[in-house]
Amino acid sequence: MDNQPKQHPMVYVRHTPVDGWPCEICTRGDDDYYQVTLVSKNALINLISASMDLLRTFEAEEARVERADDMKKLQEAKDE
């Protein structure tokens, strides 16, 4: 099994017509293959919570890298 991430994965959440389920997650495997998974209310809440945690971590790392780049530019300007 290939565990390498796909170059252009497509994943999205959409409304489901199935009663009792708030949404479904759709993932594209190949150009003509989609997997659709029903998501329960509790699973959706957990997904949102985990996603927010991951997003905060990602944004904090982006900000850290940006600050490091700014500090490097300031040091280079100072050295000139």
Side-chain angles (χ1 to χ4, degrees):
M1 178 176 226
D2 184 12
N3 289 329
Q4 296 298 318
K6 295 185 183 304
Q7 291 289 1
H8 301 287
M10 187 169 84
V11 178
Y12 60 96
V13 177
R14 68 182 185 192
H15 173 265
T16 182
V18 180
D19 288 340
W21 299 88
C23 70
E24 54 193 24
I25 294 177
C26 306
T27 56
R28 183 174 76 182
D30 294 322
D31 287 338
D32 59 351
Y33 173 77
Y34 287 82
Q35 180 172 344
V36 178
T37 306
L38 289 170
V39 179
S40 70
K41 180 181 175 181
N42 288 338
L44 180 59
I45 291 167
N46 291 338
L47 181 64
I48 292 168
S49 176
S51 297
M52 290 302 300
D53 291 344
L54 290 168
L55 183 57
R56 277 191 284 277
T57 301
F58 177 78
E59 288 176 338
E61 179 62 17
E62 275 188 327
R64 186 196 65 76
V65 168
E66 188 175 309
R67 284 192 306 273
D69 287 345
D70 290 346
M71 292 301 293
K72 183 178 177 182
K73 289 175 185 174
L74 286 171
Q75 186 62 39
E76 289 171 353
K78 182 180 175 184
D79 291 342
E80 290 180 352

PDB file of all heavy atoms in Angstrom, residues 12-41:
ATOM      1  N   TYR A  12     -13.775  16.866   0.819  1.00  0.00           N
ATOM      2  CA  TYR A  12     -14.696  17.919   1.204  1.00  0.00           C
ATOM      3  C   TYR A  12     -15.820  17.341   2.048  1.00  0.00           C
ATOM      4  O   TYR A  12     -16.082  16.148   2.047  1.00  0.00           O
ATOM      5  CB  TYR A  12     -15.236  18.672  -0.007  1.00  0.00           C
ATOM      6  CG  TYR A  12     -15.998  17.838  -1.009  1.00  0.00           C
ATOM      7  CD1 TYR A  12     -17.384  17.768  -0.958  1.00  0.00           C
ATOM      8  CD2 TYR A  12     -15.337  17.135  -2.011  1.00  0.00           C
ATOM      9  CE1 TYR A  12     -18.098  17.022  -1.882  1.00  0.00           C
ATOM     10  CE2 TYR A  12     -16.033  16.386  -2.937  1.00  0.00           C
ATOM     11  CZ  TYR A  12     -17.410  16.328  -2.868  1.00  0.00           C
ATOM     12  OH  TYR A  12     -18.108  15.591  -3.774  1.00  0.00           O
ATOM     13  N   VAL A  13     -16.455  18.227   2.782  1.00  0.00           N
ATOM     14  CA  VAL A  13     -17.595  17.872   3.622  1.00  0.00           C
ATOM     15  C   VAL A  13     -18.832  18.441   2.945  1.00  0.00           C
ATOM     16  O   VAL A  13     -18.816  19.569   2.457  1.00  0.00           O
ATOM     17  CB  VAL A  13     -17.436  18.476   5.034  1.00  0.00           C
ATOM     18  CG1 VAL A  13     -18.638  18.170   5.901  1.00  0.00           C
ATOM     19  CG2 VAL A  13     -16.161  17.963   5.687  1.00  0.00           C
ATOM     20  N   ARG A  14     -19.885  17.660   2.925  1.00  0.00           N
ATOM     21  CA  ARG A  14     -21.111  18.138   2.304  1.00  0.00           C
ATOM     22  C   ARG A  14     -22.325  17.639   3.090  1.00  0.00           C
ATOM     23  O   ARG A  14     -22.237  16.697   3.876  1.00  0.00           O
ATOM     24  CB  ARG A  14     -21.202  17.681   0.852  1.00  0.00           C
ATOM     25  CG  ARG A  14     -21.386  16.190   0.688  1.00  0.00           C
ATOM     26  CD  ARG A  14     -21.413  15.781  -0.766  1.00  0.00           C
ATOM     27  NE  ARG A  14     -21.702  14.354  -0.896  1.00  0.00           N
ATOM     28  CZ  ARG A  14     -21.575  13.684  -2.010  1.00  0.00           C
ATOM     29  NH1 ARG A  14     -21.158  14.293  -3.111  1.00  0.00           N
ATOM     30  NH2 ARG A  14     -21.869  12.396  -2.054  1.00  0.00           N
ATOM     31  N   HIS A  15     -23.459  18.279   2.851  1.00  0.00           N
ATOM     32  CA  HIS A  15     -24.722  17.847   3.441  1.00  0.00           C
ATOM     33  C   HIS A  15     -25.041  16.449   2.932  1.00  0.00           C
ATOM     34  O   HIS A  15     -24.719  16.097   1.793  1.00  0.00           O
ATOM     35  CB  HIS A  15     -25.841  18.823   3.039  1.00  0.00           C
ATOM     36  CG  HIS A  15     -27.183  18.360   3.464  1.00  0.00           C
ATOM     37  ND1 HIS A  15     -28.011  17.659   2.642  1.00  0.00           N
ATOM     38  CD2 HIS A  15     -27.822  18.480   4.651  1.00  0.00           C
ATOM     39  CE1 HIS A  15     -29.125  17.363   3.287  1.00  0.00           C
ATOM     40  NE2 HIS A  15     -29.039  17.858   4.510  1.00  0.00           N
ATOM     41  N   THR A  16     -25.670  15.661   3.775  1.00  0.00           N
ATOM     42  CA  THR A  16     -26.094  14.341   3.333  1.00  0.00           C
ATOM     43  C   THR A  16     -27.615  14.244   3.329  1.00  0.00           C
ATOM     44  O   THR A  16     -28.274  14.813   4.210  1.00  0.00           O
ATOM     45  CB  THR A  16     -25.502  13.230   4.230  1.00  0.00           C
ATOM     46  OG1 THR A  16     -25.917  11.961   3.725  1.00  0.00           O
ATOM     47  CG2 THR A  16     -25.942  13.368   5.667  1.00  0.00           C
ATOM     48  N   PRO A  17     -28.172  13.551   2.372  1.00  0.00           N
ATOM     49  CA  PRO A  17     -29.624  13.376   2.353  1.00  0.00           C
ATOM     50  C   PRO A  17     -30.099  12.281   3.312  1.00  0.00           C
ATOM     51  O   PRO A  17     -31.291  12.069   3.466  1.00  0.00           O
ATOM     52  CB  PRO A  17     -29.906  12.993   0.895  1.00  0.00           C
ATOM     53  CG  PRO A  17     -28.652  12.329   0.436  1.00  0.00           C
ATOM     54  CD  PRO A  17     -27.538  13.019   1.166  1.00  0.00           C
ATOM     55  N   VAL A  18     -29.174  11.612   3.978  1.00  0.00           N
ATOM     56  CA  VAL A  18     -29.527  10.510   4.877  1.00  0.00           C
ATOM     57  C   VAL A  18     -29.969  11.077   6.225  1.00  0.00           C
ATOM     58  O   VAL A  18     -29.209  11.804   6.878  1.00  0.00           O
ATOM     59  CB  VAL A  18     -28.329   9.548   5.063  1.00  0.00           C
ATOM     60  CG1 VAL A  18     -28.715   8.411   5.989  1.00  0.00           C
ATOM     61  CG2 VAL A  18     -27.852   9.025   3.715  1.00  0.00           C
ATOM     62  N   ASP A  19     -31.176  10.774   6.636  1.00  0.00           N
ATOM     63  CA  ASP A  19     -31.697  11.268   7.909  1.00  0.00           C
ATOM     64  C   ASP A  19     -30.856  10.756   9.084  1.00  0.00           C
ATOM     65  O   ASP A  19     -30.399   9.610   9.087  1.00  0.00           O
ATOM     66  CB  ASP A  19     -33.155  10.811   8.115  1.00  0.00           C
ATOM     67  CG  ASP A  19     -34.127  11.539   7.211  1.00  0.00           C
ATOM     68  OD1 ASP A  19     -33.776  12.629   6.710  1.00  0.00           O
ATOM     69  OD2 ASP A  19     -35.233  11.015   6.998  1.00  0.00           O
ATOM     70  N   GLY A  20     -30.667  11.649  10.063  1.00  0.00           N
ATOM     71  CA  GLY A  20     -29.949  11.259  11.266  1.00  0.00           C
ATOM     72  C   GLY A  20     -28.446  11.476  11.194  1.00  0.00           C
ATOM     73  O   GLY A  20     -27.735  11.194  12.157  1.00  0.00           O
ATOM     74  N   TRP A  21     -27.962  11.955  10.072  1.00  0.00           N
ATOM     75  CA  TRP A  21     -26.534  12.213   9.885  1.00  0.00           C
ATOM     76  C   TRP A  21     -26.364  13.663   9.450  1.00  0.00           C
ATOM     77  O   TRP A  21     -27.005  14.098   8.492  1.00  0.00           O
ATOM     78  CB  TRP A  21     -25.950  11.288   8.822  1.00  0.00           C
ATOM     79  CG  TRP A  21     -26.077   9.837   9.183  1.00  0.00           C
ATOM     80  CD1 TRP A  21     -27.136   9.038   8.903  1.00  0.00           C
ATOM     81  CD2 TRP A  21     -25.141   9.050   9.892  1.00  0.00           C
ATOM     82  NE1 TRP A  21     -26.914   7.781   9.393  1.00  0.00           N
ATOM     83  CE2 TRP A  21     -25.689   7.757  10.013  1.00  0.00           C
ATOM     84  CE3 TRP A  21     -23.891   9.296  10.445  1.00  0.00           C
ATOM     85  CZ2 TRP A  21     -25.030   6.721  10.654  1.00  0.00           C
ATOM     86  CZ3 TRP A  21     -23.233   8.273  11.081  1.00  0.00           C
ATOM     87  CH2 TRP A  21     -23.797   7.003  11.185  1.00  0.00           C
ATOM     88  N   PRO A  22     -25.488  14.435  10.114  1.00  0.00           N
ATOM     89  CA  PRO A  22     -25.362  15.847   9.756  1.00  0.00           C
ATOM     90  C   PRO A  22     -24.581  16.105   8.468  1.00  0.00           C
ATOM     91  O   PRO A  22     -24.788  17.117   7.811  1.00  0.00           O
ATOM     92  CB  PRO A  22     -24.647  16.465  10.956  1.00  0.00           C
ATOM     93  CG  PRO A  22     -23.907  15.330  11.583  1.00  0.00           C
ATOM     94  CD  PRO A  22     -24.737  14.104  11.308  1.00  0.00           C
ATOM     95  N   CYS A  23     -23.671  15.194   8.125  1.00  0.00           N
ATOM     96  CA  CYS A  23     -22.873  15.433   6.916  1.00  0.00           C
ATOM     97  C   CYS A  23     -22.197  14.151   6.471  1.00  0.00           C
ATOM     98  O   CYS A  23     -22.274  13.113   7.126  1.00  0.00           O
ATOM     99  CB  CYS A  23     -21.830  16.528   7.162  1.00  0.00           C
ATOM    100  SG  CYS A  23     -20.508  16.031   8.279  1.00  0.00           S
ATOM    101  N   GLU A  24     -21.522  14.275   5.349  1.00  0.00           N
ATOM    102  CA  GLU A  24     -20.684  13.184   4.857  1.00  0.00           C
ATOM    103  C   GLU A  24     -19.380  13.774   4.348  1.00  0.00           C
ATOM    104  O   GLU A  24     -19.328  14.930   3.939  1.00  0.00           O
ATOM    105  CB  GLU A  24     -21.390  12.369   3.772  1.00  0.00           C
ATOM    106  CG  GLU A  24     -21.920  13.162   2.606  1.00  0.00           C
ATOM    107  CD  GLU A  24     -22.867  12.374   1.725  1.00  0.00           C
ATOM    108  OE1 GLU A  24     -23.488  11.400   2.195  1.00  0.00           O
ATOM    109  OE2 GLU A  24     -22.984  12.738   0.544  1.00  0.00           O
ATOM    110  N   ILE A  25     -18.333  12.981   4.452  1.00  0.00           N
ATOM    111  CA  ILE A  25     -17.023  13.383   3.958  1.00  0.00           C
ATOM    112  C   ILE A  25     -16.764  12.618   2.669  1.00  0.00           C
ATOM    113  O   ILE A  25     -16.952  11.402   2.609  1.00  0.00           O
ATOM    114  CB  ILE A  25     -15.916  13.078   4.985  1.00  0.00           C
ATOM    115  CG1 ILE A  25     -16.110  13.950   6.223  1.00  0.00           C
ATOM    116  CG2 ILE A  25     -14.531  13.301   4.380  1.00  0.00           C
ATOM    117  CD1 ILE A  25     -15.121  13.672   7.331  1.00  0.00           C
ATOM    118  N   CYS A  26     -16.367  13.348   1.655  1.00  0.00           N
ATOM    119  CA  CYS A  26     -16.093  12.752   0.347  1.00  0.00           C
ATOM    120  C   CYS A  26     -14.597  12.876   0.061  1.00  0.00           C
ATOM    121  O   CYS A  26     -14.026  13.953   0.216  1.00  0.00           O
ATOM    122  CB  CYS A  26     -16.881  13.462  -0.740  1.00  0.00           C
ATOM    123  SG  CYS A  26     -18.644  13.507  -0.381  1.00  0.00           S
ATOM    124  N   THR A  27     -14.000  11.793  -0.342  1.00  0.00           N
ATOM    125  CA  THR A  27     -12.587  11.812  -0.727  1.00  0.00           C
ATOM    126  C   THR A  27     -12.449  11.208  -2.122  1.00  0.00           C
ATOM    127  O   THR A  27     -13.121  10.236  -2.456  1.00  0.00           O
ATOM    128  CB  THR A  27     -11.711  11.019   0.260  1.00  0.00           C
ATOM    129  OG1 THR A  27     -12.218   9.685   0.369  1.00  0.00           O
ATOM    130  CG2 THR A  27     -11.697  11.657   1.625  1.00  0.00           C
ATOM    131  N   ARG A  28     -11.570  11.802  -2.895  1.00  0.00           N
ATOM    132  CA  ARG A  28     -11.325  11.297  -4.249  1.00  0.00           C
ATOM    133  C   ARG A  28     -10.108  10.392  -4.202  1.00  0.00           C
ATOM    134  O   ARG A  28      -9.039  10.786  -3.742  1.00  0.00           O
ATOM    135  CB  ARG A  28     -11.090  12.440  -5.222  1.00  0.00           C
ATOM    136  CG  ARG A  28     -10.906  11.935  -6.656  1.00  0.00           C
ATOM    137  CD  ARG A  28     -10.825  13.057  -7.626  1.00  0.00           C
ATOM    138  NE  ARG A  28      -9.519  13.681  -7.552  1.00  0.00           N
ATOM    139  CZ  ARG A  28      -9.165  14.724  -8.259  1.00  0.00           C
ATOM    140  NH1 ARG A  28     -10.014  15.291  -9.075  1.00  0.00           N
ATOM    141  NH2 ARG A  28      -7.969  15.232  -8.147  1.00  0.00           N
ATOM    142  N   GLY A  29     -10.275   9.182  -4.661  1.00  0.00           N
ATOM    143  CA  GLY A  29      -9.156   8.260  -4.742  1.00  0.00           C
ATOM    144  C   GLY A  29      -8.452   8.426  -6.076  1.00  0.00           C
ATOM    145  O   GLY A  29      -7.298   8.810  -6.149  1.00  0.00           O
ATOM    146  N   ASP A  30      -9.140   8.165  -7.139  1.00  0.00           N
ATOM    147  CA  ASP A  30      -8.640   8.359  -8.498  1.00  0.00           C
ATOM    148  C   ASP A  30      -9.610   9.308  -9.196  1.00  0.00           C
ATOM    149  O   ASP A  30     -10.557   9.782  -8.590  1.00  0.00           O
ATOM    150  CB  ASP A  30      -8.582   7.028  -9.250  1.00  0.00           C
ATOM    151  CG  ASP A  30      -7.553   6.087  -8.651  1.00  0.00           C
ATOM    152  OD1 ASP A  30      -6.486   6.570  -8.233  1.00  0.00           O
ATOM    153  OD2 ASP A  30      -7.825   4.871  -8.601  1.00  0.00           O
ATOM    154  N   ASP A  31      -9.375   9.555 -10.468  1.00  0.00           N
ATOM    155  CA  ASP A  31     -10.242  10.479 -11.194  1.00  0.00           C
ATOM    156  C   ASP A  31     -11.692  10.021 -11.233  1.00  0.00           C
ATOM    157  O   ASP A  31     -12.603  10.834 -11.292  1.00  0.00           O
ATOM    158  CB  ASP A  31      -9.736  10.688 -12.617  1.00  0.00           C
ATOM    159  CG  ASP A  31      -8.479  11.545 -12.639  1.00  0.00           C
ATOM    160  OD1 ASP A  31      -8.252  12.291 -11.671  1.00  0.00           O
ATOM    161  OD2 ASP A  31      -7.733  11.455 -13.623  1.00  0.00           O
ATOM    162  N   ASP A  32     -11.920   8.718 -11.191  1.00  0.00           N
ATOM    163  CA  ASP A  32     -13.290   8.227 -11.293  1.00  0.00           C
ATOM    164  C   ASP A  32     -13.737   7.442 -10.059  1.00  0.00           C
ATOM    165  O   ASP A  32     -14.704   6.706 -10.097  1.00  0.00           O
ATOM    166  CB  ASP A  32     -13.451   7.371 -12.542  1.00  0.00           C
ATOM    167  CG  ASP A  32     -12.509   6.181 -12.536  1.00  0.00           C
ATOM    168  OD1 ASP A  32     -11.619   6.116 -11.666  1.00  0.00           O
ATOM    169  OD2 ASP A  32     -12.660   5.312 -13.410  1.00  0.00           O
ATOM    170  N   TYR A  33     -13.016   7.604  -8.940  1.00  0.00           N
ATOM    171  CA  TYR A  33     -13.354   6.855  -7.738  1.00  0.00           C
ATOM    172  C   TYR A  33     -13.480   7.802  -6.551  1.00  0.00           C
ATOM    173  O   TYR A  33     -12.550   8.529  -6.232  1.00  0.00           O
ATOM    174  CB  TYR A  33     -12.275   5.804  -7.440  1.00  0.00           C
ATOM    175  CG  TYR A  33     -12.470   5.100  -6.127  1.00  0.00           C
ATOM    176  CD1 TYR A  33     -13.423   4.100  -5.983  1.00  0.00           C
ATOM    177  CD2 TYR A  33     -11.702   5.446  -5.021  1.00  0.00           C
ATOM    178  CE1 TYR A  33     -13.605   3.457  -4.775  1.00  0.00           C
ATOM    179  CE2 TYR A  33     -11.882   4.805  -3.808  1.00  0.00           C
ATOM    180  CZ  TYR A  33     -12.831   3.809  -3.693  1.00  0.00           C
ATOM    181  OH  TYR A  33     -13.009   3.182  -2.503  1.00  0.00           O
ATOM    182  N   TYR A  34     -14.636   7.810  -5.925  1.00  0.00           N
ATOM    183  CA  TYR A  34     -14.876   8.627  -4.735  1.00  0.00           C
ATOM    184  C   TYR A  34     -15.326   7.721  -3.599  1.00  0.00           C
ATOM    185  O   TYR A  34     -16.052   6.754  -3.821  1.00  0.00           O
ATOM    186  CB  TYR A  34     -15.978   9.665  -4.988  1.00  0.00           C
ATOM    187  CG  TYR A  34     -15.546  10.794  -5.874  1.00  0.00           C
ATOM    188  CD1 TYR A  34     -15.539  10.657  -7.252  1.00  0.00           C
ATOM    189  CD2 TYR A  34     -15.137  11.995  -5.337  1.00  0.00           C
ATOM    190  CE1 TYR A  34     -15.146  11.701  -8.068  1.00  0.00           C
ATOM    191  CE2 TYR A  34     -14.747  13.045  -6.147  1.00  0.00           C
ATOM    192  CZ  TYR A  34     -14.750  12.883  -7.511  1.00  0.00           C
ATOM    193  OH  TYR A  34     -14.354  13.913  -8.315  1.00  0.00           O
ATOM    194  N   GLN A  35     -14.893   8.061  -2.383  1.00  0.00           N
ATOM    195  CA  GLN A  35     -15.379   7.361  -1.211  1.00  0.00           C
ATOM    196  C   GLN A  35     -16.192   8.356  -0.390  1.00  0.00           C
ATOM    197  O   GLN A  35     -15.731   9.464  -0.118  1.00  0.00           O
ATOM    198  CB  GLN A  35     -14.228   6.825  -0.372  1.00  0.00           C
ATOM    199  CG  GLN A  35     -14.695   6.079   0.859  1.00  0.00           C
ATOM    200  CD  GLN A  35     -13.560   5.397   1.577  1.00  0.00           C
ATOM    201  OE1 GLN A  35     -12.479   5.227   1.015  1.00  0.00           O
ATOM    202  NE2 GLN A  35     -13.785   5.008   2.808  1.00  0.00           N
ATOM    203  N   VAL A  36     -17.394   7.969  -0.025  1.00  0.00           N
ATOM    204  CA  VAL A  36     -18.268   8.834   0.757  1.00  0.00           C
ATOM    205  C   VAL A  36     -18.504   8.153   2.100  1.00  0.00           C
ATOM    206  O   VAL A  36     -18.883   6.986   2.153  1.00  0.00           O
ATOM    207  CB  VAL A  36     -19.608   9.078   0.029  1.00  0.00           C
ATOM    208  CG1 VAL A  36     -20.528   9.944   0.881  1.00  0.00           C
ATOM    209  CG2 VAL A  36     -19.360   9.714  -1.329  1.00  0.00           C
ATOM    210  N   THR A  37     -18.268   8.891   3.180  1.00  0.00           N
ATOM    211  CA  THR A  37     -18.425   8.355   4.525  1.00  0.00           C
ATOM    212  C   THR A  37     -19.390   9.229   5.310  1.00  0.00           C
ATOM    213  O   THR A  37     -19.188  10.446   5.402  1.00  0.00           O
ATOM    214  CB  THR A  37     -17.058   8.329   5.254  1.00  0.00           C
ATOM    215  OG1 THR A  37     -16.121   7.616   4.449  1.00  0.00           O
ATOM    216  CG2 THR A  37     -17.173   7.692   6.612  1.00  0.00           C
ATOM    217  N   LEU A  38     -20.419   8.618   5.868  1.00  0.00           N
ATOM    218  CA  LEU A  38     -21.342   9.353   6.723  1.00  0.00           C
ATOM    219  C   LEU A  38     -20.632   9.712   8.018  1.00  0.00           C
ATOM    220  O   LEU A  38     -19.829   8.941   8.541  1.00  0.00           O
ATOM    221  CB  LEU A  38     -22.575   8.502   7.045  1.00  0.00           C
ATOM    222  CG  LEU A  38     -23.535   8.273   5.884  1.00  0.00           C
ATOM    223  CD1 LEU A  38     -24.563   7.222   6.260  1.00  0.00           C
ATOM    224  CD2 LEU A  38     -24.219   9.564   5.485  1.00  0.00           C
ATOM    225  N   VAL A  39     -20.928  10.898   8.553  1.00  0.00           N
ATOM    226  CA  VAL A  39     -20.276  11.382   9.770  1.00  0.00           C
ATOM    227  C   VAL A  39     -21.359  11.676  10.805  1.00  0.00           C
ATOM    228  O   VAL A  39     -22.297  12.432  10.541  1.00  0.00           O
ATOM    229  CB  VAL A  39     -19.462  12.666   9.485  1.00  0.00           C
ATOM    230  CG1 VAL A  39     -18.802  13.190  10.736  1.00  0.00           C
ATOM    231  CG2 VAL A  39     -18.424  12.389   8.407  1.00  0.00           C
ATOM    232  N   SER A  40     -21.199  11.080  11.992  1.00  0.00           N
ATOM    233  CA  SER A  40     -22.159  11.318  13.065  1.00  0.00           C
ATOM    234  C   SER A  40     -21.937  12.697  13.678  1.00  0.00           C
ATOM    235  O   SER A  40     -20.900  13.340  13.459  1.00  0.00           O
ATOM    236  CB  SER A  40     -22.012  10.251  14.151  1.00  0.00           C
ATOM    237  OG  SER A  40     -20.786  10.426  14.847  1.00  0.00           O
ATOM    238  N   LYS A  41     -22.902  13.144  14.476  1.00  0.00           N
ATOM    239  CA  LYS A  41     -22.798  14.452  15.125  1.00  0.00           C
ATOM    240  C   LYS A  41     -21.558  14.517  16.015  1.00  0.00           C
ATOM    241  O   LYS A  41     -20.797  15.484  15.953  1.00  0.00           O
ATOM    242  CB  LYS A  41     -24.062  14.725  15.947  1.00  0.00           C
ATOM    243  CG  LYS A  41     -24.046  16.052  16.665  1.00  0.00           C
ATOM    244  CD  LYS A  41     -25.321  16.239  17.463  1.00  0.00           C
ATOM    245  CE  LYS A  41     -25.262  17.508  18.286  1.00  0.00           C
ATOM    246  NZ  LYS A  41     -26.484  17.682  19.089  1.00  0.00           N
TER     247      LYS A  41
END
